[in-house]
């Protein structure tokens, strides 16, 4: 009957859209994962801090920070145009040669865990380029994973419905597998190419 064909079309359409969004969301969730983005950002921060401080001035900078700490728990200092929050206990336990790594880790944590006063969409539409770093943020990563879980469930449900209402279930299962492979392969290629552009994008934002 005509309505059954229409129902199968709607179910398949919803399944394909949900599958597309599921793979899209998991791709971005992995891209913005802390461990995935950390090496790229740390390399960029290291380059900026070395220009601002220099290896030769590490001892002097370390001594100034230790003196400024005193009995405080933490202090904030500007290096190369970036505000860095330094934990004084960690600073006192760090030799001058390890100051750069300490500053890099502190900067990364502050950038990745920064709380924005705008939603993801609002931040992306603002003219300030620094707000684009919201894409590489812990809260955004959590949002991507939550949405992925939702759309994964929707995908599984509509895949099951598609098989149940199909007259040839084996053919439908094979068709679902082909769609998964096709869309998955597409995002794999896109993700592979995106990794080459990620560092360039972050370099412009930092």
């Amino acid at each position: 009957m005509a309505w059954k064909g229409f129902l199968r079309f709607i179910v398949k359409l919803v399944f394909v859209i949900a599958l597309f969004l599921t793979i899209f969301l998991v791709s971005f969730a992995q891209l913005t994962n802390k461990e995935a983005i950390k090496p790229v950002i740390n390399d960029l921060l290291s380059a900026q801090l070395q220009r601002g401080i220099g290896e030769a001035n590490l001892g002097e900078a370390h001594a100034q920070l230790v003196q400024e700490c005193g009995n405080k728990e933490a202090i904030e200092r500007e290096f190369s145009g970036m505000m860095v929050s330094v934990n004084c206990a960690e600073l006192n336990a760090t030799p001058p040669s390890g100051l750069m790594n300490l500053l890099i880790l502190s900067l990364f944590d502050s950038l990745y865990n920064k709380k924005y006063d705008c939603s993801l969409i609002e931040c992306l539409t603002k003219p300030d380029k620094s707000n684009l770093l919201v894409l590489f943020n812990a809260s955004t990563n959590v949002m991507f994973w939550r949405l992925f879980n939702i759309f994964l469930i929707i995908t599984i449900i509509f895949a099951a419905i598609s098989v149940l209402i199909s007259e040839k279930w084996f053919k439908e299962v094979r068709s679902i597998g082909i769609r998964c492979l096709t869309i998955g392969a597409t995002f794999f290629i896109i993700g592979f190419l995106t990794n080459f552009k990620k560092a360039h994008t972050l370099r412009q934002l930092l």
Side-chain angles (χ1 to χ4, degrees), residues 31-50:
L31 180 68
T32 58
N33 185 54
K34 183 176 183 178
E35 296 308 315
I37 205 71
K38 190 174 183 177
V40 180
I41 293 183
N42 283 359
D43 286 344
L44 299 176
L45 293 176
S46 176
Q48 288 200 16
L49 287 173
Q50 284 179 359

Side-chain angles (χ1 to χ4, degrees), residues 14-179:
V14 174
F15 165 73
V16 170
I17 294 174
L19 175 62
F20 179 87
L21 291 174
T22 298
I23 299 177
F24 172 84
L25 289 166
V26 75
S27 298
F28 266 85
Q30 291 174 341
L31 180 68
T32 58
N33 185 54
K34 183 176 183 178
E35 296 308 315
I37 205 71
K38 190 174 183 177
V40 180
I41 293 183
N42 283 359
D43 286 344
L44 299 176
L45 293 176
S46 176
Q48 288 200 16
L49 287 173
Q50 284 179 359
R51 285 197 299 268
I53 302 176
E55 295 290 344
N57 297 324
L58 281 178
E60 182 181 342
H62 184 273
Q64 290 178 352
L65 290 173
V66 169
Q67 183 179 4
E68 189 174 338
C69 264
N71 296 322
K72 300 176 184 176
E73 290 185 5
I75 57 173
E76 285 195 352
R77 281 285 302 273
E78 182 178 345
F79 292 98
S80 302
M82 299 177 290
M83 292 301 299
V84 187
S85 178
V86 182
N87 183 290
C88 290
E90 293 179 356
L91 176 66
N92 290 326
T94 303
S97 59
L99 177 61
M100 190 70 72
N101 286 335
L102 177 63
L103 295 178
I104 290 170
L105 291 175
S106 299
L107 263 175
F108 173 79
D109 286 338
S110 64
L111 285 172
Y112 192 76
N113 298 306
K114 181 179 178 180
K115 303 296 182 183
Y116 290 85
D117 58 357
C118 51
S119 66
L120 176 62
I121 302 300
E122 289 173 343
C123 285
L124 293 177
T125 54
K126 285 185 176 182
D128 187 359
K129 280 188 175 182
S130 63
N131 283 322
L132 295 178
L133 284 170
V134 71
L135 283 171
F136 307 98
N137 186 265
S139 60
T140 301
N141 183 255
V142 170
M143 182 195 72
F144 280 137
W145 280 117
R146 286 177 179 172
L147 290 174
F148 160 73
N149 290 328
I150 293 172
F151 279 98
L152 177 61
I153 293 172
I154 294 173
T155 301
I156 293 172
I157 290 173
F158 276 88
I161 294 173
S162 181
V163 172
L164 290 173
I165 66 175
S166 176
E167 296 176 353
K168 299 179 180 180
W169 66 269
F170 180 77
K171 183 179 179 181
E172 185 61 27
V173 170
R174 185 175 61 180
S175 178
I176 288 173
I178 292 173
R179 293 190 196 107

Side-chain angles (χ1 to χ4, degrees), residues 23-24 27-28 30-31 180-197:
I23 299 177
F24 172 84
S27 298
F28 266 85
Q30 291 174 341
L31 180 68
C180 291
L181 288 174
T182 302
I183 297 177
T186 301
F187 272 96
F188 176 79
I189 295 171
I190 293 174
F192 183 76
L193 295 174
T194 301
N195 283 332
F196 287 101
K197 296 183 179 180

